[in-house]
Amino acid sequence: MTETQKPAEPAHRDEPHHDSIGSRLNWLRAGVLGANDGIVSVAGIVVGVAGASTDRSAILTAGIAGLVAGALSMAGGEYVSVSTQRDTERAALRLEKEELKTMPEAEERELAGIYEEKGLSPELAAKVARELSEKDALQAHAEAELRIDPDELTSPWQAAWASLLAFSIGALLPLLAISLPPTSARVWACAAAVVAGLALTGFVSARLGSAKVGRAVARNIGVGALTMLVTYYVGVLFNVTTG
């Protein structure tokens, strides 16, 4: 390599430069939300029951029921939501394909207009639209007009499984933390485990999403702590009222 030659500049490390960013973010969203919901929901249930009873069996039964119901609910909700999104994307692509078939010139002008709005000159926009249409008109219109990648539509099963597994894994943390220690340390052990778990999920989500770590961690811990505090005293109140 001569002195005048410079090595190729690497891609910016903090920016995604691959085609699977949409899929990765979809997994990240479902996974992080599922884990957070699992931790907070089941922590709220078991801490609430622990506030009303010292019976380990009752606490475990409530926690397991919350884990199963929550995991299935999260998976079902994700499946329905993403299926609706996928159906909408497919319908938009069918309509765009029909329009390209019946009025290709008008569609090419529309595509050129989109690139003009992005700042290209009319001549360059028309050239870009023509060349992209010649290569793959549907792909070009889907990405520029619909913001859809026809080759990477959202997967409802992927989102559902990610939510189910993430919720279950997250829910196991408070469930184990409150069932293993002695009675006097149950609530504090569960609270400590939940804070640690929410700090971890907040850290991971912030780093993968290039967001501020401190804010994400504080938000996660704040929600979890408030949930446990409220449900614990609801349990205490219920025990006092019926005891």
Side-chain angles (χ1 to χ4, degrees), residues 89-159:
E89 290 172 341
R90 284 176 169 172
L93 288 172
R94 285 196 299 269
L95 177 60
E96 193 65 36
K97 188 174 182 179
E98 181 64 24
E99 290 176 346
L100 286 169
K101 182 179 179 180
T102 56
M103 46 179 145
E105 295 84 3
E107 286 296 299
E108 186 175 312
R109 288 195 298 271
E110 182 182 20
L111 184 60
I114 292 173
Y115 287 111
E116 281 189 53
E117 292 178 357
K118 292 180 180 291
L120 298 184
S121 66
E123 296 77 13
L124 182 56
K127 182 179 179 181
V128 169
R130 182 172 61 256
E131 292 185 0
L132 288 177
S133 297
E134 289 173 354
K135 181 180 179 181
D136 190 333
L138 180 60
Q139 180 85 21
H141 280 267
E143 292 182 350
E145 184 180 345
L146 305 176
R147 304 291 192 273
I148 297 173
D149 184 348
D151 298 325
E152 289 202 19
L153 296 181
T154 50
S155 170
W157 283 111
Q158 182 185 77

Side-chain angles (χ1 to χ4, degrees), residues 6-236:
K6 295 182 179 180
E9 290 289 338
H12 299 300
R13 294 181 180 179
D14 294 334
E15 296 179 4
H17 287 272
H18 51 83
D19 294 334
S20 62
I21 182 64
S23 178
R24 190 190 76 171
L25 290 178
N26 189 42
W27 272 90
L28 173 62
R29 176 185 63 84
V32 171
L33 288 178
N36 280 345
D37 281 353
I39 294 172
V40 175
S41 299
V42 174
I45 291 172
V46 296
V47 167
V49 176
S53 172
T54 59
D55 186 350
R56 189 189 303 268
S57 176
I59 296 172
L60 280 174
T61 300
I64 293 171
L67 186 156
V68 174
L72 293 177
S73 176
M74 282 287 295
E78 281 294 319
Y79 180 81
V80 171
S81 174
V82 177
S83 292
T84 301
Q85 179 182 344
R86 189 182 180 94
D87 290 344
T88 301
E89 290 172 341
R90 284 176 169 172
L93 288 172
R94 285 196 299 269
L95 177 60
E96 193 65 36
K97 188 174 182 179
E98 181 64 24
E99 290 176 346
L100 286 169
K101 182 179 179 180
T102 56
M103 46 179 145
E105 295 84 3
E107 286 296 299
E108 186 175 312
R109 288 195 298 271
E110 182 182 20
L111 184 60
I114 292 173
Y115 287 111
E116 281 189 53
E117 292 178 357
K118 292 180 180 291
L120 298 184
S121 66
E123 296 77 13
L124 182 56
K127 182 179 179 181
V128 169
R130 182 172 61 256
E131 292 185 0
L132 288 177
S133 297
E134 289 173 354
K135 181 180 179 181
D136 190 333
L138 180 60
Q139 180 85 21
H141 280 267
E143 292 182 350
E145 184 180 345
L146 305 176
R147 304 291 192 273
I148 297 173
D149 184 348
D151 298 325
E152 289 202 19
L153 296 181
T154 50
S155 170
W157 283 111
Q158 182 185 77
W161 280 111
S163 293
L164 186 146
L165 292 175
F167 186 98
S168 299
I169 292 171
L172 283 174
L173 179 65
L175 188 60
L176 293 175
I178 205 165
S179 63
L180 297 179
T183 302
S184 60
R186 282 176 184 169
V187 174
W188 289 110
C190 182
V194 167
V195 168
L198 292 176
L200 178 61
T201 57
F203 175 81
V204 171
S205 64
R207 290 301 299 268
L208 292 178
S210 299
K212 293 183 178 180
V213 173
R215 181 180 300 173
V217 170
R219 183 169 55 235
N220 274 11
I221 293 176
V223 170
L226 180 61
T227 299
M228 288 187 292
L229 183 66
V230 171
T231 56
Y232 176 76
Y233 282 105
V234 167
V236 170

